[in-house]
């Protein structure tokens, strides 16, 4: 598989070869859904907590006599049917939302998403990005140049899920320069997963030779 390789100025610089084991995987919606939902569940903090009838204050005395009042019998104002009483079946901090994801499932789901995005022209390959200093202006000019490529006109959008800039190694100059751009998120290729890949409209792969090698290593 071959695709066009671009420079940071938006001009084509040649071709790059992509392995079918990473970018030629058949789309598997069921697997991707299962992995993405599991990853979202694993990110839940589980901090929501309600008090049951044993934890709310008050209720030590029987509200009124058992008989003779004409009203329904009640033994405690901490009952869930009372205002201010305990909560039945409410969220508790002791609940674990985490789900197990097999390594092969996680990897195949990621490759399935990447393959689908590549076929939809949502993956852009850039040979390298170099900045002399940490300047937002420089990052804006790079995004502006890349947005002139056919199919990537929306890279300059301010939506938070516009594009993921995948780097082979973290670069402080790039990270800080793109930090003020609401539409671009910078991340490491080795940390790329199905949830991140499917959450962004576009993926910008910087130095594809190194990144593809890192992705292929996930298979082993």
């Amino acid at each position: 598989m071959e695709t066009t390789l671009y420079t940071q100025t938006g001009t084509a610089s040649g071709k790059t070869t992509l392995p079918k084991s990473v970018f030629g995987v058949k789309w598997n919606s069921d697997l991707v859904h299962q992995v993405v939902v599991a990853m979202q569940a694993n990110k839940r903090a589980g901090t929501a907590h309600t008090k049951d009838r044993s934890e709310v204050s008050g209720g030590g005395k029987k509200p009124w006599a058992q008989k003779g009042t004409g009203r329904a019998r009640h033994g405690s104002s901490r009952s869930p049917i009372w205002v201010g009483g305990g909560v039945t079946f409410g969220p508790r901090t002791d609940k674990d939302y985490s789900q197990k994801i097999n390594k092969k499932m996680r990897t195949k789901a990621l490759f399935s998403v990447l393959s689908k995005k590549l076929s939809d022209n949502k993956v852009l390959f850039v040979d390298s990005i170099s900045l002399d200093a940490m300047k937002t202006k420089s990052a804006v000019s790079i995004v502006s140049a890349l947005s002139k490529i056919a199919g990537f006109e929306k890279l300059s959008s301010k939506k938070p899920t516009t594009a993921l800039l995948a780097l082979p190694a973290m670069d402080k100059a790039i990270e800080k320069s793109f930090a003020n751009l609401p539409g671009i998120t910078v991340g490491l290729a080795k940390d790329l997963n199905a949830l991140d890949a499917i959450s962004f409209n576009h993926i910008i792969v910087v130095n594809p030779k190194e990144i593809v090698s890192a992705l292929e290593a996930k298979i082993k």
Side-chain angles (χ1 to χ4, degrees), residues 8-61:
Q8 66 181 37
T9 59
T11 59
S13 62
K15 297 285 185 178
T16 183
T17 303
L18 303 176
K20 289 186 178 181
S21 59
V22 177
F23 290 96
V25 178
K26 185 179 180 181
W27 172 247
N28 190 333
S29 59
D30 292 335
L31 174 64
V32 172
H33 178 267
Q34 183 178 353
V35 172
V36 168
V37 169
M39 294 187 70
Q40 289 174 329
N42 293 340
K43 293 178 68 174
R44 293 188 66 171
T47 53
H49 181 78
T50 54
K51 295 181 179 180
D52 59 26
R53 63 182 299 158
S54 68
E55 295 172 316
V56 295
S57 60
K61 180 183 178 182

Side-chain angles (χ1 to χ4, degrees), residues 61-204:
K61 180 183 178 182
K62 187 174 173 66
W64 50 74
Q66 179 82 350
K67 296 177 179 296
T69 63
R71 290 181 289 184
R73 56 193 174 187
H74 287 285
S76 173
S77 60
R78 294 187 294 183
S79 170
I81 65 176
W82 278 59
V83 175
V87 177
T88 305
F89 304 127
R92 307 282 293 182
T93 53
D94 56 359
K95 183 172 182 179
D96 184 10
Y97 295 96
S98 64
Q99 299 181 27
K100 183 179 182 295
I101 310 174
N102 294 331
K103 182 180 178 181
K104 288 185 177 180
M105 291 175 57
R106 186 190 297 267
T107 302
K108 189 173 181 180
L110 169 61
F111 292 170
S112 181
V113 174
L114 291 177
S115 300
K116 182 70 166 61
K117 283 192 172 293
L118 179 65
S119 65
D120 294 340
N121 195 30
K122 298 292 184 181
V123 183
L124 180 63
F125 296 90
V126 180
D127 55 6
S128 65
I129 291 180
S130 59
L131 299 174
D132 297 331
M134 301 178 186
K135 288 186 178 180
T136 302
K137 185 177 181 180
S138 300
V140 171
S141 63
I142 291 175
V143 173
S144 178
L146 296 178
S147 63
K148 294 178 182 179
I149 301 173
F152 297 91
E153 294 82 3
K154 294 184 178 180
L155 283 181
S156 56
S157 171
K158 294 183 179 181
K159 292 184 178 179
T161 57
T162 298
L164 174 64
L165 183 65
L167 302 176
M170 191 53 69
D171 186 308
K172 284 294 181 182
I174 296 177
E175 182 184 8
K176 297 295 183 182
S177 298
F178 284 86
N180 289 330
L181 303 186
I184 307 294
T185 299
V186 180
L188 289 177
K190 68 180 183 65
D191 298 328
L192 189 61
N193 55 63
L195 178 58
D196 290 338
I198 205 169
S199 298
F200 291 91
N201 294 327
H202 297 86
I203 298 177
I204 304 173

Side-chain angles (χ1 to χ4, degrees), residues 198-219:
I198 205 169
S199 298
F200 291 91
N201 294 327
H202 297 86
I203 298 177
I204 304 173
V205 178
V206 181
N207 196 336
K209 187 176 181 179
E210 287 189 31
I211 289 183
V212 168
S213 297
L215 293 174
E216 285 185 304
K218 291 179 178 287
I219 303 175

